[in-house]
Every structure is written in structure tokens, then in C-alpha cells.
């Protein structure tokens, strides 16, 4: 599983979550919502320190991570997080497995 975030998406997180250098952002599996990789679950976001990170991505002094206990959610799919200027929001793009 690969995990990446575009520069504009990193800036969105910095602005929306009031992040500073040295902060951490966790992506985790949460019950409810809509996902193309896990029915009945969606991707949650929280500002917290890592405990047992399985995947990390660092940019602009911020560490984005996925904990080992949440890696199942991705089902061997890669995750790319992008920012849409048109909608002023981020989007999650999954690739691999059935989703190329």
C-alpha cells in the first residue's frame, strides 16, 4: 500500500486543522459513511500523535499517518489525497486491486 498527499492538500490540512510544524494527522477507519474500498466504513481524520504507525507521509513539517490497526481498511489499495480548488475540499483516491 502506498500513501501520498499532494502539496495543495497538505496546505488544506494545515489551514483547516490549524497545524504547525511537528504536528501529526491520523487517517483511520470509522464506522458509517461511504467508501469505495470498505462497505459501511469511511476514512476519519484526527490530529493526534502516532502509537504504532504502519504508513507515514511527511510534508511541510507535518507527519500524516495510518496506524497498524487501521491498515485493513485499505485492502491493499493505494491512497492519494488531493485538493479540489473548485470545491475547496480534499478527495481520497484509491487505486490498485479493482480500482485502477
Amino acid at each position: 500500500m502506498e500513501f501520498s498527499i499532494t502539496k495543495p492538500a497538505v496546505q488544506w490540512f494545515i489551514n483547516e486543522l490549524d497545524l504547525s510544524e511537528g504536528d501529526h494527522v491520523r487517517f483511520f477507519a470509522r464506522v458509517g459513511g461511504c467508501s469505495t474500498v470498505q462497505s459501511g466504513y469511511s476514512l476519519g481524520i484526527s490530529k493526534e500523535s502516532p502509537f504504532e504507525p504502519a504508513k507515514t507521509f511527511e510534508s511541510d513539517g507535518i507527519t500524516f499517518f495510518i496506524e497498524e490497526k487501521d491498515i485493513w481498511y485499505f485492502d491493499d489499495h493505494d491512497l492519494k489525497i488531493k485538493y479540489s480548488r473548485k470545491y475547496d475540499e480534499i478527495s481520497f483516491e484509491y487505486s490498485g486491486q479493482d480500482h485502477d
Side-chain angles (χ1 to χ4, degrees), residues 36-79:
T36 59
V37 291
Q38 295 293 342
S39 181
Y41 291 87
S42 60
L43 199 58
I45 302 167
S46 66
K47 184 177 168 181
E48 63 183 85
S49 296
F51 174 69
E52 193 176 328
K55 296 289 180 178
T56 61
F57 181 86
E58 294 184 31
S59 182
D60 294 2
I62 312 298
T63 301
F64 300 87
F65 69 97
I66 300 165
E67 288 284 356
E68 188 67 43
K69 68 182 180 180
D70 294 310
I71 207 74
W72 65 268
Y73 171 84
F74 300 93
D75 193 25
D76 291 325
H77 291 80
D78 296 334
L79 171 64

Side-chain angles (χ1 to χ4, degrees), residues 10-52:
V10 169
Q11 280 307 129
W12 183 91
F13 281 109
I14 289 170
N15 295 336
E16 290 295 313
L17 300 178
D18 195 28
L19 300 174
S20 301
E21 189 170 328
D23 283 342
H24 301 85
V25 176
R26 177 182 172 203
F27 296 96
F28 61 94
R30 68 182 186 100
V31 176
C34 182
S35 165
T36 59
V37 291
Q38 295 293 342
S39 181
Y41 291 87
S42 60
L43 199 58
I45 302 167
S46 66
K47 184 177 168 181
E48 63 183 85
S49 296
F51 174 69
E52 193 176 328

